[in-house]
Amino acid sequence: MRKFWLLLTATLSLSPALAQSAAAPSRPEVRNPAPGELRGLWVDAFGPGLRTPQEIDRLVADARAMGVNVLFAQVGRRGDCYCNNAAMPRTEDPAVPAGFDPLQDLITKAHAQGIQVHAWIITTAIWNRLEAPKDPAHVFNTHGPSAQGSDNWLMVRHDGATRGGADYYLDPGHPQAAAYIREMYLSVVRNYDVDGIQFDRVRYPDQNEPAGQASWGYNPVALERYRAETGASGIPAPNDERWKAWRRQQVTHLVRSVYLEAKALKPNLWVSAATITYGEGPATLRDFRTKTRTYNEVLQDWESWTRLGYLDLNVMMNYKRDFVPAQASWFDQWNAFGRLARGPRYVVSGAAIYLNDQASSVNQARKAQEAGLDGWAGYSYRTPDADVNAQKRTYLEVLPELAGKLTGPGAPFAQTASWGQPSRGLHAIRGRVTAQRGPLGGRSVELWTGGRLFARTQTDGEGRYGFVIFPLGEVELRTEGAAPLRLTPALGRVNDAPELSIP
């Protein structure tokens, strides 16, 4: 049996106001067996794969030949959608025929072959060109550089920059920006029979200045929220630990909110994230928090997301070259840590097939199996090995070769495998805190059970909170200044709590 990780001592010691869990005894938790073995393939929208009916026919046939049972399909590229019915405007990609709905076509064809479709959306990056989008309703046009005051949702760097590399980003510390991001995902869940949704780039950007410090997140609205919720004054330095913890928490709030809202719509939906694994892997949970760029520079605390149940599936972007000894070691280290940190959820090793020769990719798929993970995924369909990435060969030449090496006698995928739905037992609460005065965000909400404090969380900028993993039976919800609420959440769904109202 695995321990149910309720406590994260280092988080509590860092900032009690940002703690995720309360000091309560841990209890044994049996991890539900995985519903098969995930064999995934990322299909990005920057080349062939999703743009036409013919490309999708070929994609599905290739996926089946490779033994793939899950397609992570990039339907959200930069504030747009390779679909016709979402909160984001339809893509401007000229390769997509007028009126054609790539996502719907992919779902129909993939499901006919027993292959799942998980809608992959870039979370915060919304535009990457100097010329504006053609659609006036695109979020870059309505809430980008030309918007004034609180209508401007863009991420700002400490030095005033609003563009990281080629990209403009939305700031998750701005409540309206976070709400828009949430709706990007939920609109796809409502309108399409997807098997899952996947966060990508659900974090703060790279391109930090000063280098090595978390220098993004200085949107004026986010800064004002931080000061109001914490009592801080002035403009914090990028490496200010309290400021880093607050920003890290905004990303976690966003993941939690999307998870709860999406699972309320479709309890059997997979919610996953493509997570960062820069450099060598940590050996312990403490190392993750103290030594990784993941936690300290891009402020992505994916360890807490799996422990607290805010994801069903963690797909680590474990992008390492197998033929480089140091990187091969890092690949193994992150696999080991992913297994250590998965809690009651599932973890997959995502491999960079575009950086590797075919033999190396096959070896990494085998190593993911040997590490005891729940599967493997390759990035990406249009660049299936290093030769294609270097433009020495085409993906059409390489894909049949890679399929044969993955599925042939003695190969990692020689035996077929299925991937089912998330394990049964969804048991969650979502609610809101309202207040006549003071900020809605940053308020502590406690969950008590059996007369003991079991868990503590915080509200986001809209006053939303939630709990995903807790015992069956009656619970009590408390926040300072409001009357406690008692309820008995039902198993199998997301339960709505009445408002915690503070006069």
Side-chain angles (χ1 to χ4, degrees):
M1 292 193 300
R2 297 171 58 84
K3 286 290 184 182
F4 174 65
W5 293 336
L6 177 64
L7 303 180
L8 184 52
T9 305
T11 301
L12 288 169
S13 63
L14 178 65
S15 173
L18 295 174
Q20 284 289 304
S21 304
S26 62
R27 63 184 176 90
E29 179 86 4
V30 177
R31 180 176 176 271
N32 291 317
E37 180 182 83
L38 190 147
R39 297 172 181 175
L41 185 63
W42 275 294
V43 188
D44 68 55
F46 293 94
L50 298 172
R51 302 175 302 186
T52 68
Q54 295 76 24
E55 287 184 2
I56 291 174
D57 287 340
R58 176 64 191 257
L59 164 64
V60 172
D62 288 336
R64 186 171 184 184
M66 294 173 68
V68 164
N69 51 34
V70 173
L71 290 172
F72 297 107
Q74 188 180 29
V75 301
R77 191 169 63 170
R78 293 289 192 281
D80 60 353
C81 192
Y82 278 71
C83 68
N84 294 347
N85 298 293
M88 312 87 81
R90 187 176 184 274
T91 179
E92 296 178 5
D93 188 338
V96 180
F100 177 60
D101 192 322
L103 177 54
Q104 184 55 61
D105 193 58
L106 176 62
I107 291 169
T108 300
K109 293 172 179 175
H111 283 183
Q113 298 299 322
I115 299 171
Q116 293 187 12
V117 176
H118 294 212
W120 153 28
I121 299 172
I122 290 183
T123 305
T124 50
I126 57 156
W127 194 242
N128 64 346
R129 301 182 209 159
L130 292 176
E131 68 275 16
K134 296 176 184 176
D135 191 328
H138 192 289
V139 67
F140 180 83
N141 291 327
T142 57
H143 296 285
S146 62
Q148 301 297 311
S150 62
D151 287 335
N152 188 306
W153 299 350
L154 287 187
M155 190 88 73
V156 180
R157 201 166 63 185
H158 185 258
D159 61 0
T162 57
R163 200 176 190 206
D167 287 327
Y168 295 92
Y169 297 83
L170 296 182
D171 193 323
H174 192 307
Q176 291 172 289
Y180 180 83
I181 292 170
R182 182 174 66 242
E183 185 57 24
M184 291 197 308
Y185 288 93
L186 297 182
S187 64
V188 171
V189 174
R190 288 191 202 97
N191 296 323
Y192 293 92
D193 186 24
V194 292
D195 302 281
I197 52 174
Q198 183 173 86
F199 295 100
D200 186 21
R201 298 175 77 172
V202 59
R203 56 182 176 86
Y204 285 81
D206 296 301
Q207 299 88 33
N208 282 296
E209 182 62 41
Q213 297 187 18
S215 56
W216 291 91
Y218 287 81
N219 179 282
V221 171
L223 275 172
E224 184 56 37
R225 273 193 62 210
Y226 169 69
R227 290 188 285 257
E229 293 174 17
T230 66
S233 59
I235 299 177
N239 61 348
D240 181 295
E241 290 297 335
R242 192 182 191 188
W243 171 228
K244 285 169 62 177
W246 187 89
R247 286 175 290 167
R248 193 181 295 118
Q249 193 71 10
Q250 304 318 302
V251 181
T252 295
H253 286 329
L254 178 60
V255 172
R256 181 186 66 193
S257 178
V258 172
Y259 181 87
L260 289 168
E261 299 297 318
K263 299 291 270 194
L265 292 169
K266 294 182 180 178
N268 292 325
L269 185 82
W270 284 101
V271 179
S272 70
T275 56
I276 293 295
T277 64
Y278 290 144
E280 62 181 315
T284 66
L285 300 177
R286 179 178 177 83
D287 285 347
F288 178 77
R289 296 185 294 271
T290 59
K291 296 182 179 180
T292 68
R293 292 179 58 204
T294 304
Y295 189 87
N296 290 293
E297 289 185 34
V298 297
L299 306 179
Q300 185 186 76
D301 184 13
W302 59 252
E303 181 275 325
S304 78
W305 305 345
T306 56
R307 174 173 47 86
L308 297 168
Y310 300 165
L311 295 177
D312 299 310
L313 175 67
N314 175 24
V315 186
M316 298 182 297
M317 294 186 290
N318 200 1
Y319 294 172
K320 312 294 187 291
R321 295 169 174 83
D322 192 62
F323 52 86
V324 177
Q327 294 191 28
S329 178
W330 298 347
F331 183 82
D332 295 338
Q333 290 166 6
W334 278 107
N335 284 343
F337 181 76
R339 183 178 179 185
L340 170 70
R342 69 183 168 190
R345 300 312 201 194
Y346 305 100
V347 62
V348 165
S349 189
I353 57 177
Y354 77 100
L355 293 177
N356 284 283
D357 55 62
Q358 294 174 45
S360 294
S361 290
V362 171
N363 190 47
Q364 288 189 336
R366 185 175 286 109
K367 290 205 293 184
Q369 292 173 328
E370 292 169 351
L373 304 186
D374 301 304
W376 171 94
Y379 182 89
S380 73
Y381 173 70
R382 71 179 176 94
T383 50
D385 76 1
D387 282 347
V388 179
N389 193 47
Q391 300 183 341
K392 296 178 181 179
R393 302 182 70 194
T394 71
Y395 81 106
L396 297 175
E397 294 175 297
V398 168
L399 281 168
E401 298 173 2
L402 181 58
K405 290 181 174 68
L406 284 169
T407 62
F413 302 163
Q415 303 298 318
T416 59
S418 62
W419 184 250
Q421 296 176 331
S423 60
R424 296 176 182 177
L426 177 64
H427 189 223
I429 295 171
R430 62 178 176 176
R432 297 186 73 168
V433 171
T434 60
Q436 295 297 317
R437 62 183 66 85
L440 293 176
R443 293 181 182 268
S444 178
V445 180
E446 297 176 346
L447 184 147
W448 289 65
T449 180
R452 302 189 69 179
L453 175 60
F454 184 82
R456 180 186 295 116
T457 192
Q458 290 76 42
T459 56
D460 67 11
E462 297 177 296
R464 296 171 181 260
Y465 68 90
F467 298 94
V468 178
I469 299 175
F470 51 90
L472 296 174
E474 186 181 70
V475 301
E476 185 173 275
L477 301 172
R478 302 180 186 177
T479 192
E480 185 177 358
L485 293 173
R486 288 194 178 126
L487 67 155
T488 304
L491 187 64
R493 64 185 177 88
V494 176
N495 295 264
D496 287 311
E499 285 186 352
L500 284 164
S501 181
I502 302 173

